[in-house]
Amino acid sequence: MKIIVDTREKPRAIAQILAYFEQNGIEYEKRKLNTGDYMREDKPLLTVDRKQNLGEVANNLTNDNGRFMREVRRASESGQKLIVLVEHGGRIKTLTDVHSWQNPIRAKHPEAIDGRALLERMHRVSVMYGVEWWFCDKSNTGAEIVRALNA
């Protein structure tokens, strides 16, 4: 298996992921991907998009001028299955756990999205576009990417 890693992934953010690949004899190559951050070379219809936490997901679904949703639509229109892997960790292990998420931004901005509203948006994206939401601790991201790409 050879994994394609999007060139726009920040080297510092993915050092542990690449180390996991190397330690486990997983071949990888950096290339620009149209959707997602990771894809198997031999399975181009499956891609994994990595998010650092639920704060990033909340921003993507509320404030990023639609960039994330354009990527979701592009994946859906091209027949790709998109798995979004959220490195949140802690008590967030499944999509339904998102309802209990406490958005730290709400301390200064009470109008910011809360866990329940974020869960609703994430669920809507799942239903409309077939996106799967997976969750892991940062220490397990490399293994979860491999597991997702073998799904």
Side-chain angles (χ1 to χ4, degrees):
M1 163 173 53
K2 182 178 192 177
I3 296 177
I4 308 303
V5 179
D6 188 67
T7 55
R8 292 165 291 188
E9 282 278 82
K10 294 176 180 65
R12 200 176 104 221
I14 64 168
Q16 190 171 3
I17 296 166
L18 299 183
Y20 175 86
F21 293 167
E22 291 167 6
Q23 290 164 4
N24 289 278
I26 298 166
E27 192 178 349
Y28 69 90
E29 177 183 326
K30 293 182 180 181
R31 274 192 238 155
K32 184 176 183 282
L33 294 175
N34 289 327
T35 57
D37 299 317
Y38 302 88
M39 178 178 67
R40 272 178 59 166
E41 187 172 54
D42 63 340
K43 277 180 132 180
L45 294 180
L46 175 62
T47 185
V48 174
D49 193 31
R50 184 184 61 84
K51 301 295 179 191
Q52 66 183 359
N53 55 39
L54 285 173
E56 182 179 1
V57 174
N59 186 56
N60 288 163
L61 293 176
T62 58
N63 300 325
D64 81 346
N65 298 317
R67 185 184 58 79
F68 175 71
M69 287 307 300
R70 284 192 300 276
E71 184 172 0
V72 166
R73 284 186 202 96
R74 201 167 40 249
S76 178
E77 290 165 1
S78 67
Q80 277 185 319
K81 176 181 181 128
L82 180 63
I83 296 172
V84 178
L85 180 61
V86 185
E87 301 175 301
H88 196 81
R91 294 177 298 145
I92 309 294
K93 299 192 183 323
T94 67
L95 185 58
T96 55
D97 295 337
V98 173
H99 81 279
S100 66
W101 175 61
Q102 301 294 315
N103 185 350
I105 302 296
R106 288 178 59 88
K108 290 185 179 177
H109 303 282
E111 72 284 358
I113 195 166
D114 64 7
R116 200 179 92 223
L118 180 58
L119 170 60
E120 289 172 7
R121 288 182 190 206
M122 292 169 76
H123 179 70
R124 193 173 321 123
V125 170
S126 292
V127 170
M128 291 175 69
Y129 300 100
V131 169
E132 287 187 23
W133 300 93
W134 290 26
F135 301 86
C136 71
D137 292 312
K138 289 185 188 312
S139 62
N140 297 340
T141 304
E144 286 299 303
I145 289 168
V146 171
R147 185 170 78 89
L149 292 175
N150 285 320

